[in-house]
Amino acid sequence: MHEPRIGMIGGLAIALNPSIITFTLLSGGEPIYASIIITAVFFLTVGFNSKKQHFWIVAAGITCAVANFFRPTGIILIIASILVIFLYSKVKITIKIKQSLLLVFSFAVIVWATGFVTSSVSGYTKPSYSFGWNLFIGANEQTQGRWNEKDAELFDEVKNNLGDPSEIQKHFFKLGVERYKNMGMRVIPHFRKKLGVWFDESYVSRVITEWQTQYTRFKSGDLQQTYSLIINLYNILIMSGAIAALLFLSLEEKPPLILKIISFYMIGSIMLFMVIETAARYKGAYYSVLTILAVYGYCKTGGFIKKRLSRNNQ
């Protein structure tokens, strides 16, 4: 199946995803971020097949930088793209280097520019350990890496003592590293539980049904379990398709570059959120591209079954 058709079906699957629909009601950040990342993927897709390749690659780098302003995974798409360019692209090495430099340079310039504007407005420079607090939260075994009041109280205490954002983030970065060191081999079940948190839709379903019951004419208080069942079923379908896609992509001699980038991006995003703070809605940072990957997996599975059946009939 050709990539444009996969993209069209993937877009429809994203639009109908009940998890993303409910996230939109709770938080605008994740759907916006997902849209930006999908746009970056689109630019890369066009760029790899266009005569104006450099223009589209620069556009992808800029878009990733904008995405990184919302969530710290825009850079993962840049890393995934560079890895795929060098490992799977069949163009000359000079072109590979040029494509990679364009991506990195355009990304870095916009990241610097947004950081400069933010610093000018806030009066503070960008913290050196900007993810220190998220790392500290993510390493909390008791809360399975989720935000909690006890850590929040400690944050307020440290903030009042240190004041400077860089010092605060550095302080929690050290505490987070210390938490993981003390965890030892318990880090394996900790990561497994955090993965379960991402796909636990009970909180989202409860909030949505309570909100509808309290503020709208649609009294859905008894539908929480039904909502959870529908969303979790969709999650299972997406994950199953994505796993199938990873299998097919690993076996193909010439895998589609953009789908290989998506698979690397998905793996990198999951690894990142295994380590830092996690929440069900945070999967919005990679869920849309995961959906496209799942569509590819099902399409390839369907094609494989058809070939097997035709051979048997012959």
Side-chain angles (χ1 to χ4, degrees):
M1 177 172 281
H2 298 296
E3 289 177 37
R5 194 181 302 177
I6 292 172
M8 290 178 64
I9 298 174
L12 181 62
I14 294 169
L16 296 177
N17 188 331
S19 182
I20 291 178
I21 292 170
T22 52
F23 284 150
T24 305
L25 293 173
L26 289 178
S27 173
E30 272 61 39
I32 291 171
Y33 177 88
S35 299
I36 296 172
I37 283 293
I38 289 294
T39 302
V41 170
F42 170 77
F43 287 154
L44 285 170
T45 305
V46 176
F48 288 142
N49 301 285
S50 172
K51 293 181 179 178
K52 297 181 180 179
Q53 194 176 77
H54 298 159
F55 170 82
W56 293 105
I57 288 177
V58 168
I62 292 172
T63 308
C64 284
V66 174
N68 219 62
F69 187 78
F70 290 89
R71 290 283 179 265
T73 54
I75 191 169
I76 295 178
L77 187 58
I78 294 290
I79 296 171
S81 301
I82 293 172
L83 286 173
V84 170
I85 287 171
F86 276 97
L87 295 176
Y88 298 96
S89 179
K90 301 301 180 182
V91 299
K92 296 179 181 178
I93 187 65
T94 53
I95 297 177
K96 292 183 179 184
I97 294 172
K98 188 179 293 184
Q99 291 174 343
S100 301
L101 288 175
L102 284 172
L103 264 176
V104 172
F105 181 75
S106 56
F107 175 82
V109 168
I110 301 303
V111 167
W112 175 84
T114 53
F116 177 79
V117 172
T118 304
S119 298
S120 300
V121 172
S122 65
Y124 291 100
T125 58
K126 183 180 179 180
S128 302
Y129 297 83
S130 57
F131 55 91
W133 165 246
N134 300 97
L135 178 70
F136 178 69
I137 293 289
N140 191 319
E141 282 187 272
Q142 283 69 39
T143 62
Q144 299 177 349
R146 290 176 288 192
W147 184 92
N148 60 92
E149 291 185 4
K150 187 174 181 180
D151 285 341
E153 290 173 0
L154 178 60
F155 179 85
D156 290 335
E157 182 181 330
V158 173
K159 182 183 69 173
N160 293 333
N161 292 332
L162 296 178
D164 184 81
S166 291
E167 291 300 319
I168 295 171
Q169 292 285 12
K170 185 177 180 180
H171 176 80
F172 281 109
F173 174 81
K174 292 179 179 178
L175 291 181
V177 171
E178 194 65 29
R179 271 184 171 178
Y180 274 119
K181 283 183 179 179
N182 295 334
M183 208 177 297
M185 292 303 295
R186 296 197 309 276
V187 73
I188 297 175
H190 177 63
F191 285 164
R192 179 181 56 78
K193 291 175 183 177
K194 289 181 73 174
L195 184 61
V197 168
W198 294 338
F199 294 99
D200 179 10
E201 308 292 349
S202 57
Y203 171 76
V204 177
S205 300
R206 178 174 59 80
V207 172
I208 290 297
T209 52
E210 287 179 355
W211 175 75
Q212 288 176 335
T213 301
Q214 187 172 357
Y215 297 107
T216 72
R217 293 181 179 180
F218 183 53
K219 307 304 178 184
S220 61
D222 297 330
L223 295 177
Q224 178 184 338
Q225 189 173 2
T226 304
Y227 277 19
S228 295
L229 182 63
I230 293 171
I231 296 174
N232 283 321
L233 176 61
Y234 203 94
N235 286 339
I236 291 171
L237 291 172
I238 294 299
M239 288 302 297
S240 300
I243 291 171
L246 290 176
L247 179 61
F248 282 111
L249 287 169
S250 65
L251 296 174
E252 291 179 4
E253 292 183 6
K254 295 181 179 180
L257 294 184
I258 196 64
L259 289 166
K260 199 65 181 176
I261 287 173
I262 288 176
S263 68
F264 280 20
Y265 170 79
M266 185 199 75
I267 294 170
S269 297
I270 290 176
M271 289 172 64
L272 176 66
F273 284 104
M274 281 284 195
V275 176
I276 63 175
E277 178 187 359
T278 190
R281 69 183 181 88
Y282 285 170
K283 70 174 180 285
Y286 68 92
Y287 205 46
S288 294
V289 291
L290 180 65
T291 305
I292 295 175
L293 196 63
V295 170
Y296 177 75
Y298 284 118
C299 290
K300 292 293 291 186
T301 302
F304 178 79
I305 293 173
K306 282 183 179 179
K307 284 183 180 180
R308 285 288 184 180
L309 289 175
S310 63
R311 287 178 184 177
N312 292 336
N313 291 333
Q314 291 175 356

